[in-house]
Amino acid sequence: MSVLSSKFPALTMGKISPEKIRDLMLGVIMPMVGLVFFLIFWQVGAQNIKTSLGTFPGPKEVLAQWSNLVDEHKTERKREADFYTHQTTRNAEALAQDPAAEIKVRKFSRHPTFFDKIKTSLITVLCGFFLASIIAIPMGIFIGLNQSLYRAFNPIIQIFKPISPLAWLPLVTLAVSSAYQSESPLFAKSFIISVITVMLCSLWPTMINTAVGVAGVSKDLINVSRVLRLSWFTHVRKIVLPSSIPMMFTGLRLSLGIAWMVLIAAEMLAQNPGLGKFVWDEFQNGSSDSLGRICVAVLTIGIIGFMLDRTLLAVQSWANWDKSAIVR
Amino acid sequence: MSQLHLELSSVGIDFPTPKGPFSALHDVNLKIMQGEFVSLIGHSGCGKSTVLNIVAGLYQATLGGVILNGREVNEPGPERAVVFQNHSLLPWLTAYQNVELGVKPVFKGKKTKAEMREWIEHNLELVHMTHALHKRPDELSGGMKQRVGIARALAMQPEVLLMDEPFGALDALTRAHLQDSLMEIQNTLGNTVIMITHDVDEAVLLSDRIVMMTNGPAATVGEILDVKLARPRNRLALADDTEYNGYRGAVLRFLYEKQKKVEPITVKRTEKPAEQFAVENTSITESKQVA
């Protein structure tokens, strides 16, 4: 509501001018209209698709599955809480009877719910994206500063850029399985495999766009830097980075989009307990609810992807020196 | 004013082009005394900026060289500060930070933090910009940006101030204002100044000597005019001064009689007259591509 009233102050003040009505139409009503049309189209279309698991779920069924998933999450959390209260009381009783009694504190073996899986997916994608960024941004800067380096790296980048995550996955799996062997691993193997696959696929847009941004720093500013005799480090920090921020963020946003898409595929095959595995498990499960639950996951994936992009956009507005620049 | 300070000794420069080297400058000789104000004037594309860039160390002369205080210079240095035509301030830094960027490498270890701040503020005061220390370039007018550009150059405490059409992009009133400021500053600090200009009045008003350059390719120094008007100079008093107008006439005659630039208005064409009409509607650069 506060967003609405700040965007459309007329709503709260009672005076509505024609321009405000136009803004309201474009800003709120038209997206609603689009959404309603989509829901109608979905409902009608779904009724006409008969699958081996029954009719394709419409909006209503999917909503029902969503509340099922929420309920399952709540039940699971309650079970966990119950388990721990039970354990504490039992231990307390044991101690009261015999102070020397051996006390067992066990961990609840949590069965990951839909929301746990969302969390896993988010952590995995952010790890992969972060790794990719801390490699791609410095590389992009070096490549962008040096024409020869750019020429040397360009063919490699162009060849690696279009490779599908599904092609990387077997290689990554084998490499990780042989290289990452430990009795009590800090991370699950499936997590590492997913992170590396995400990283390999989301390196390139950031690297290329950073390089292009760095190479495009105005000649005048480079001359200024030379005349002021700035050190290499100051040159990069004060001149190169601020001017290439818009391009760099374009790359980062492309990368994050790719990372999120790749992650779902990687989780399906690597069995990392995230949204990808959820979809795969439901598909294998094949109950009458499965299609609806997959639809919930699909919509969730879309909404999270959108929110990730918006978050990065906000970071860009914060990092950019030019606050008046329109970012979209 | 008597000591030889900066010398350009038979400077020539070739730029590589696909059709072989293009000789932009040939045999440019110039001797500049300590504290002298020298203007370079000539038609567009005659290589004035190239001369300045060679002195600044941004370009390397193919032949000859630049000698400052008896030493050859071929890379940029803080003793030769440049004021760029389009101010070239960093848009993400405030006026103060822009000046600071130039000051830091020069005075690192020589001035304390407080001294450095005082020095930066002093230089912005010289150009009358104390009211906008912490504004970014996009909040400043064109004239104010150029003032900050001058402050940035002055703050490096240069022996030679190189100015590439510093007031070219400003309106006439702002320009007059800044010219007065520049005369005042040069009177106080006594820097050697080399300034490129297109403006005959500006050249006569500000300079001790006006170096007139011939048209390229292989441009060189055509004539040198000594301006012996007494300082301080006042633009209003000089407006009707016969001596002033004599200098003005001399520069104008050089530019528009001796070095008259023949710009081809019509373009080499094919025989079809219909195309000629089309060419007239396009700009010169485009029509060159058509030809």
Side-chain angles (χ1 to χ4, degrees):
Chain A
M1 188 61 212
S2 64
V3 175
L4 260 185
S5 57
S6 68
K7 245 183 179 171
F8 309 106
L11 281 181
T12 46
M13 283 161 65
K15 276 186 283 180
I16 297 180
S17 61
E19 294 87 50
K20 295 279 191 238
I21 294 176
R22 211 181 126 260
D23 283 356
L24 195 72
M25 274 290 284
L26 289 176
V28 179
I29 298 179
M30 288 325 281
M32 291 287 192
V33 170
L35 211 59
V36 167
F37 266 97
F38 167 72
L39 289 176
I40 293 171
F41 180 77
W42 179 9
Q43 179 67 42
V44 174
Q47 282 166 354
N48 292 310
I49 303 175
K50 306 277 187 258
T51 72
S52 57
L53 299 176
T55 317
F56 194 84
K60 226 174 76 189
E61 291 82 9
V62 170
L63 196 67
Q65 285 310 323
W66 164 258
S67 49
N68 271 352
L69 286 168
V70 173
D71 289 343
E72 280 169 26
H73 179 72
K74 281 181 185 158
T75 326
E76 188 70 13
R77 282 289 178 277
K78 191 165 178 305
R79 253 166 41 84
E80 185 177 350
D82 288 348
F83 173 86
Y84 282 120
T85 40
H86 186 66
Q87 181 173 266
T88 359
T89 43
R90 199 181 47 206
N91 285 339
E93 278 167 16
L95 275 177
Q97 281 179 4
D98 172 16
E102 208 173 306
I103 287 175
K104 285 176 192 153
V105 179
R106 285 204 184 82
K107 217 167 171 260
F108 180 70
S109 67
R110 188 188 265 189
H111 175 73
T113 66
F114 183 62
F115 297 93
D116 293 328
K117 286 174 181 168
I118 292 179
K119 199 173 135 200
T120 311
S121 280
L122 277 175
I123 292 171
T124 317
V125 80
L126 290 180
C127 285
F129 174 67
F130 179 73
L131 266 180
S133 302
I134 58 170
I135 296 171
I137 291 175
M139 282 289 286
I141 291 172
F142 283 119
I143 294 172
L145 284 174
N146 188 325
Q147 180 75 19
S148 317
L149 264 184
Y150 181 79
R151 287 290 163 92
F153 271 89
N154 198 36
I156 302 171
I157 296 174
Q158 299 303 339
I159 288 171
F160 279 106
K161 193 171 61 129
I163 295 176
S164 153
L166 302 178
W168 278 123
L169 212 79
L171 293 177
V172 175
T173 309
L174 289 176
V176 169
S177 302
S178 69
Y180 188 72
Q181 278 169 341
S182 116
E183 284 298 304
S184 54
L186 187 60
F187 301 108
K189 224 173 250 178
S190 62
F191 172 79
I192 307 248
I193 294 168
S194 304
V195 165
I196 291 178
T197 309
V198 165
M199 185 198 83
L200 282 174
C201 294
S202 64
L203 274 174
W204 316 110
T206 306
M207 201 184 290
I208 294 170
N209 280 280
T210 306
V212 170
V214 167
V217 176
S218 135
K219 194 94 179 81
D220 285 344
L221 295 186
I222 290 173
N223 276 344
V224 168
S225 173
R226 290 181 63 197
V227 166
L228 300 184
R229 311 252 307 175
L230 300 184
S231 64
W232 183 85
F233 187 68
T234 318
H235 172 69
V236 169
R237 203 163 52 96
K238 294 277 182 176
I239 293 185
V240 170
L241 278 181
S243 23
S244 51
I245 271 186
M247 281 301 280
M248 196 186 292
F249 269 91
T250 306
L252 284 172
R253 282 173 65 196
L254 285 171
S255 279
L256 186 56
I258 287 177
W260 185 238
M261 281 212 244
V262 163
L263 175 79
I264 305 301
E267 282 181 341
M268 277 190 186
L269 293 183
Q271 295 291 298
N272 186 44
L275 282 167
K277 186 173 181 321
F278 176 87
V279 172
W280 186 251
D281 288 348
E282 288 299 335
F283 175 59
Q284 297 296 328
N285 186 8
S287 80
S288 54
D289 289 342
S290 288
L291 281 177
R293 290 160 80 95
I294 292 175
C295 282
V296 174
V298 165
L299 288 178
T300 311
I301 291 167
I303 290 166
I304 291 176
F306 172 70
M307 289 194 312
L308 286 174
D309 190 55
R310 288 285 127 172
T311 313
L312 208 51
L313 207 61
V315 176
Q316 178 177 4
S317 303
W318 169 81
N320 200 356
W321 55 273
D322 187 1
K323 301 293 177 210
S324 63
I326 299 164
V327 286
R328 54 176 128 213
Chain B
M1 260 261 194
S2 54
Q3 202 189 336
L4 179 63
H5 186 44
L6 181 72
E7 186 181 357
L8 278 76
S9 166
S10 49
V11 168
I13 191 165
D14 295 343
F15 291 114
T17 68
K19 291 176 195 160
F22 168 80
S23 166
L25 292 175
H26 180 69
D27 200 26
V28 176
N29 285 294
L30 194 58
K31 285 180 177 155
I32 296 170
M33 304 296 156
Q34 181 84 45
E36 202 174 12
F37 196 121
V38 175
S39 291
L40 290 179
I41 199 164
H43 289 287
S44 308
C46 75
K48 304 183 295 283
S49 290
T50 312
V51 172
L52 201 84
N53 282 330
I54 292 172
V55 178
L58 292 171
Y59 290 165
Q60 305 290 322
T62 323
L63 294 166
V66 179
I67 297 149
L68 177 71
N69 297 329
R71 269 216 195 134
E72 189 177 356
V73 287
N74 21 357
E75 55 171 8
E79 74 285 350
R80 284 157 289 134
V82 184
V83 177
F84 295 90
Q85 176 176 13
N86 53 355
H87 68 79
S88 291
L89 299 178
L90 306 189
W92 42 85
L93 298 182
T94 63
Y96 180 92
Q97 289 168 326
N98 263 291
V99 178
E100 189 184 30
L101 197 66
V103 167
K104 267 198 176 158
V106 180
F107 295 106
K108 205 173 182 184
K110 291 179 205 157
K111 280 189 197 297
T112 64
K113 257 188 182 167
E115 280 171 341
M116 213 138 22
R117 210 185 66 209
E118 208 172 285
W119 174 246
I120 294 166
E121 281 170 2
H122 166 74
N123 278 283
L124 281 160
E125 201 181 315
L126 268 181
V127 294
H128 308 293
M129 282 298 296
T130 32
H131 60 287
L133 288 183
H134 302 295
K135 286 197 171 156
R136 282 215 308 247
D138 56 355
E139 299 168 291
L140 302 175
S141 69
M144 283 153 92
K145 281 183 232 181
Q146 202 50 275
R147 281 172 189 276
V148 178
I150 294 171
R152 178 172 67 185
L154 288 175
M156 296 168 75
Q157 223 169 30
E159 295 175 43
V160 185
L161 193 59
L162 304 169
M163 308 179 96
D164 189 355
E165 286 183 52
F167 312 132
L170 304 176
D171 65 274
L173 288 174
T174 315
R175 193 184 309 168
H177 211 67
L178 275 178
Q179 286 164 355
D180 291 341
S181 283
L182 180 60
M183 278 198 282
E184 182 192 313
I185 289 166
Q186 211 247 341
N187 194 31
T188 330
L189 301 179
N191 297 83
T192 309
V193 181
I194 304 179
M195 181 178 75
I196 292 178
T197 181
H198 269 129
D199 183 338
V200 178
D201 287 294
E202 182 173 274
V204 178
L205 181 70
L206 297 176
S207 316
D208 297 314
R209 275 197 297 162
I210 302 176
V211 175
M212 293 172 265
M213 293 193 58
T214 64
N215 289 330
T220 187
V221 175
E223 286 177 24
I224 297 182
L225 182 71
D226 276 307
V227 182
K228 288 179 180 139
L229 297 167
R231 286 181 189 272
R233 295 172 185 170
N234 180 315
R235 70 178 66 244
L236 285 180
L238 287 175
D240 300 320
D241 188 287
T242 45
E243 204 186 346
Y244 175 84
N245 283 313
Y247 290 129
R248 222 176 147 260
V251 179
L252 287 173
R253 269 193 301 282
F254 177 86
L255 288 178
Y256 299 110
E257 275 178 24
K258 298 176 195 164
Q259 289 296 323
K260 190 171 174 186
K261 188 141 188 181
V262 191
E263 290 261 16
I265 305 224
T266 47
V267 183
K268 273 187 275 168
R269 75 200 69 240
T270 53
E271 273 97 318
K272 287 178 213 159
E275 249 185 42
Q276 182 185 346
F277 181 70
V279 164
E280 274 171 11
N281 283 328
T282 52
S283 74
I284 292 172
T285 45
E286 276 172 322
S287 54
K288 267 181 189 156
Q289 283 163 1
V290 170

